Amino acid sequence: MKIIIINGSHRKNGVTALILHEMYQKLETYPNVEIQFYHVADLNLKYCVGCCQCYKNGKCILNDDMEKLSENIETADGVIIGSPTYASNISGQMKVIIDRGHFVIEQLLFGKYAISVSTYENYGGKDTAKILNKLFCYSGATISKSLAIKTPFSSHPFSNPKIHNIVNKATDKFYKDIYRQKTYLYQKMKHFIIFRFGILPFVTKKGNEYQGVIAKWKKHSIKNRKII
């Protein structure tokens, strides 16, 4: 079982990072689990330039850390993404990863399980969670759990025992969902509608302009696989 964890906060020891590290340590207690942890602060990330060449060629024209991260996500069984809340939204670095990561059109998360973690002090944390969950849904993932955790700035989140319990229960559920390949029918139906009536006809109309997308779908048998 391969798990990717992404800390979307520039702070490597902030609230979001501490929660994700707790999940990492919990997952380490299970057998046969490989975990890769990424801090956005350690990644060389350039802004998307909107050229759409990735859809044609299957990879981005920009030479930085994003392609390698995307390739690692492609081979994972589960993904955990956390972000602090900035102006009722995800962090800027997390937005770059979403823009550049081959998520939605290429269906990068199809067949994978996911947890979203948003942290906030005052308001907007649920808005951040919605953005991450929409990414997961549109990209084909099964959302195992979504956490919007309110805690004072620069505090230790686990000074509140309830938060520690919530995080550990969510991590345990995530592992069991992957292990058992649990199906959430409503999520399956929702993704089927998004893909079949939104993404698929759009890509089909593009023809050779999106041949890189078609190649990725064929690689993972997405187009012809039964979603429901």
Side-chain angles (χ1 to χ4, degrees):
M1 187 185 296
K2 179 179 176 181
I3 308 297
I4 301 293
I5 300 177
I6 302 174
N7 172 29
S9 170
H10 188 77
R11 304 174 70 213
K12 297 169 71 172
N13 293 296
V15 172
T16 307
L18 290 171
I19 291 170
L20 295 176
H21 275 301
E22 178 67 18
M23 291 179 155
Y24 179 98
Q25 292 172 3
K26 177 71 173 176
L27 288 167
E28 278 191 316
T29 66
Y30 296 113
N32 303 315
V33 177
E34 173 193 346
I35 313 164
Q36 296 180 7
F37 196 112
Y38 292 91
H39 291 284
V40 293
D42 294 333
L43 298 174
N44 174 25
L45 300 171
K46 297 182 176 69
Y47 296 123
C48 177
V49 297
C51 67
C52 292
Q53 287 301 302
C54 57
Y55 297 143
K56 183 175 183 179
N57 302 323
K59 62 180 181 179
C60 185
I61 64 169
L62 302 176
N63 184 22
D64 58 11
D65 293 330
M66 193 59 238
E67 283 299 305
K68 183 61 178 178
L69 175 58
S70 183
E71 289 172 6
N72 285 334
I73 293 173
E74 184 178 5
T75 59
D77 299 292
V79 179
I80 300 174
I81 297 179
S83 175
T85 297
Y86 296 159
S88 298
N89 211 318
I90 56 176
S91 69
Q93 296 96 327
M94 195 66 243
K95 183 63 168 65
V96 173
I97 289 175
I98 292 174
D99 290 346
R100 296 270 318 282
H102 306 287
F103 285 96
V104 177
I105 298 297
E106 293 96 325
Q107 295 290 282
L108 182 67
L109 303 182
F110 187 79
K112 308 181 192 306
Y113 290 79
I115 291 183
S116 64
V117 178
S118 67
T119 60
Y120 65 111
E121 182 180 29
N122 187 18
Y123 62 92
K126 291 182 180 179
D127 294 326
T128 301
K130 286 179 182 178
I131 291 167
L132 293 176
N133 291 337
K134 185 180 289 186
L135 170 71
F136 291 152
C137 176
Y138 288 7
S139 303
T142 296
I143 302 170
S144 183
K145 197 69 177 176
S146 177
L147 302 179
I149 297 175
K150 185 176 182 179
T151 187
F153 179 72
S154 289
S155 67
H156 198 297
F158 301 130
S159 59
N160 183 344
K162 289 184 180 180
I163 294 178
H164 189 268
N165 187 45
I166 289 170
V167 169
N168 275 279
K169 281 187 176 180
T171 309
D172 185 58
K173 183 177 183 294
F174 176 66
Y175 173 83
K176 289 178 179 177
D177 282 355
I178 298 174
Y179 183 78
R180 298 169 181 170
Q181 290 294 287
K182 185 171 181 178
T183 298
Y184 293 89
L185 186 57
Y186 173 75
Q187 291 191 47
K188 287 281 187 181
M189 292 175 62
K190 186 176 180 180
H191 175 255
F192 174 80
I193 293 170
I194 290 169
F195 180 79
R196 179 63 181 83
F197 299 103
I199 297 172
L200 178 59
F202 173 76
V203 171
T204 301
K205 287 180 182 178
K206 291 290 185 175
N208 289 334
E209 293 180 39
Y210 276 46
Q211 59 187 353
V213 175
I214 298 296
K216 287 194 175 183
W217 287 359
K218 288 181 178 178
K219 180 179 178 182
H220 298 289
S221 302
I222 291 175
K223 185 177 180 180
N224 297 319
R225 187 183 298 182
K226 287 185 178 180
I227 297 178
I228 299 179

